Amino acid sequence: MLALALLACAATPLDRADDTAAETWDRGPNPHPLDDVLRLDHVQALGTHNSTHVEPESPLDDSHRYTHAPLSVQLGEYGVRQVELDLHLHETEGWQVFHLPVIDAETTCLALADCLGELKGWSDDHGWHLPLLVWLEPKDDLDGTQEDLLPLTGRLWDLEQALLEVWPEDRVFRPDELRGDHPDLPTAIAQDGWPLLGELRGQVLFALLDSDAYRDEYLADSPALEGRVMFADAGTATDPWSALVKDGSAEEITAWAQAGFVVTDNVDGADASDEENQAGLDQGLAAGTHFLASDLPGPVEGREYRAAIPGGQPARCNPVTAPPECTPQAIEDLDG
């Protein structure tokens, strides 16, 4: 049962837990020899869009005609390193993950805790993986059509707590850690860059996918995301919270990438042809998109197209940003 009175309170940023509470985790030796050279923005990996989506029995729109494998299969078999979870808040059952109420509500994992637990379980077993990027999208626009779904206004701090109830704080990379002693995130990126991959492996980055009222609410007392658990979708290259970017033209993506920001872009769609999807994937790869989000990362009956990173194991060196000594094995080689 949700403590609704607490949810409505004006919350304060969560403090990072004492290191003594950190989870014991024996990962064995690190098989990646360039982890003192390569950084997050040197990576190019596959992601998924609406990552728990299951095709409804009678789709109202062709864009809903796809079914994702469970999250652990996406990570393990398809090489996905970025997912997107569409969020709703049920009056008695808590945070839930599905696309839209009634018309497109089928999902591979309904409870947010279960979705996060599936991601963490895979991470536990593959400790030297690339950091996972989890976009969290408030999706309550149509929730008024279902009486037991609550508006998400004022509840983002409860969402932070829900994330940390599953993922231990020492495995969540937060905006404060990127910013360091700098006044804002763009300055930190320009002067220091992203942390080395050796510092980020096995961790998760949470990011709020919104560029309107929810982002404004989340930034209201923390314009550079001070004390926050989640990153937020970038505004401009000089906005104090900007570090992670969702979507853009090919030219915009290349410019963001060259400036050190990390970009996710949707590259295909279930309602597009194989040719259109392949063109979108190729464009995203060439532009330097870091996480290429797909509706079709696995085999689909009747289609030749499926999203994949050419030469990836499963990820590869970003053609726009990676240094010449980079190799796919150095980016990720979980069997090394």
Side-chain angles (χ1 to χ4, degrees):
M1 179 71 71
L2 290 174
L4 295 180
L6 292 177
L7 290 176
C9 293
T12 57
L14 293 170
D15 293 325
R16 201 158 176 92
D18 189 278
D19 288 343
T20 58
E23 189 177 88
T24 301
W25 191 29
D26 182 9
R27 296 187 283 176
N30 183 352
H32 302 97
L34 295 181
D35 269 11
D36 58 349
V37 174
L38 300 178
R39 301 178 184 273
L40 180 59
D41 59 309
H42 297 153
V43 167
Q44 195 162 58
L46 196 62
T48 49
H49 165 244
N50 295 343
S51 301
T52 70
H53 187 270
V54 173
E55 182 176 332
E57 184 175 347
S58 300
L60 294 181
D61 192 282
D62 285 343
S63 66
H64 299 167
R65 295 184 182 275
Y66 66 99
T67 294
H68 279 307
L71 294 172
S72 57
V73 174
Q74 294 180 39
L75 298 176
E77 295 186 20
Y78 303 159
V80 167
R81 296 295 178 264
Q82 169 269 313
V83 300
E84 178 186 313
L85 305 181
D86 295 325
L87 295 178
H88 306 264
L89 186 59
H90 192 278
E91 185 175 23
T92 59
E93 297 175 12
W95 290 99
Q96 295 184 337
V97 178
F98 60 89
H99 188 217
L100 299 170
V102 183
I103 61 172
D104 196 26
E106 298 299 316
T107 179
T108 61
C109 55
L110 180 59
L112 175 61
D114 291 342
C115 302
L116 296 174
E118 189 172 356
L119 295 172
K120 182 178 177 292
W122 182 88
S123 176
D124 290 345
D125 294 336
H126 303 85
W128 294 108
H129 65 79
L130 289 172
L132 305 180
L133 173 57
V134 180
W135 287 99
L136 298 152
E137 183 173 12
K139 205 78 173 180
D140 61 349
D141 293 6
L142 301 178
D143 284 1
T145 63
Q146 190 170 322
E147 290 184 0
D148 51 7
L149 294 177
L150 303 173
L152 302 186
T153 302
R155 305 183 194 276
L156 295 178
W157 294 271
D158 176 69
L159 173 60
E160 289 189 332
Q161 187 60 53
L163 302 176
L164 296 179
E165 286 173 358
V166 178
W167 277 81
E169 293 195 42
D170 62 306
R171 286 170 60 186
V172 178
F173 184 73
R174 296 169 62 157
D176 285 341
E177 295 169 89
L178 176 60
R179 191 177 58 257
D181 295 330
H182 298 290
D184 54 53
L185 299 183
T187 301
I189 290 170
Q191 296 188 11
D192 294 341
W194 286 86
L196 295 165
L197 285 183
E199 302 172 43
L200 289 179
R201 292 191 186 276
Q203 296 194 56
V204 64
L205 289 78
F206 294 114
L208 180 67
L209 181 50
D210 185 78
S211 57
D212 201 352
Y214 286 119
R215 186 177 69 184
D216 292 346
E217 177 183 326
Y218 198 59
L219 295 168
D221 298 321
S222 299
L225 294 170
E226 300 91 339
R228 297 291 189 242
V229 172
M230 297 183 286
F231 289 83
D233 190 11
T236 71
T238 58
D239 283 324
W241 70 87
S242 292
L244 299 176
V245 184
K246 182 65 164 67
D247 298 334
S249 69
E251 294 77 13
E252 290 169 337
I253 289 169
T254 299
W256 281 110
Q258 290 174 334
F261 298 87
V262 170
V263 185
T264 301
D265 193 41
N266 297 340
V267 296
D268 61 28
D271 55 346
S273 69
D274 283 357
E275 293 75 15
E276 290 169 328
N277 284 332
Q278 188 62 56
L281 176 64
D282 291 344
Q283 177 176 280
L285 289 164
T289 310
H290 299 91
F291 295 102
L292 297 104
S294 172
D295 288 345
L296 306 164
V300 178
E301 185 177 355
R303 279 190 181 268
E304 294 185 9
Y305 170 84
R306 63 175 289 187
I309 304 296
Q313 292 190 282
R316 73 173 189 179
C317 307
N318 191 304
V320 171
T321 61
E325 62 266 38
C326 182
T327 66
Q329 295 90 341
I331 290 290
E332 186 170 275
D333 184 13
L334 297 184
D335 297 322

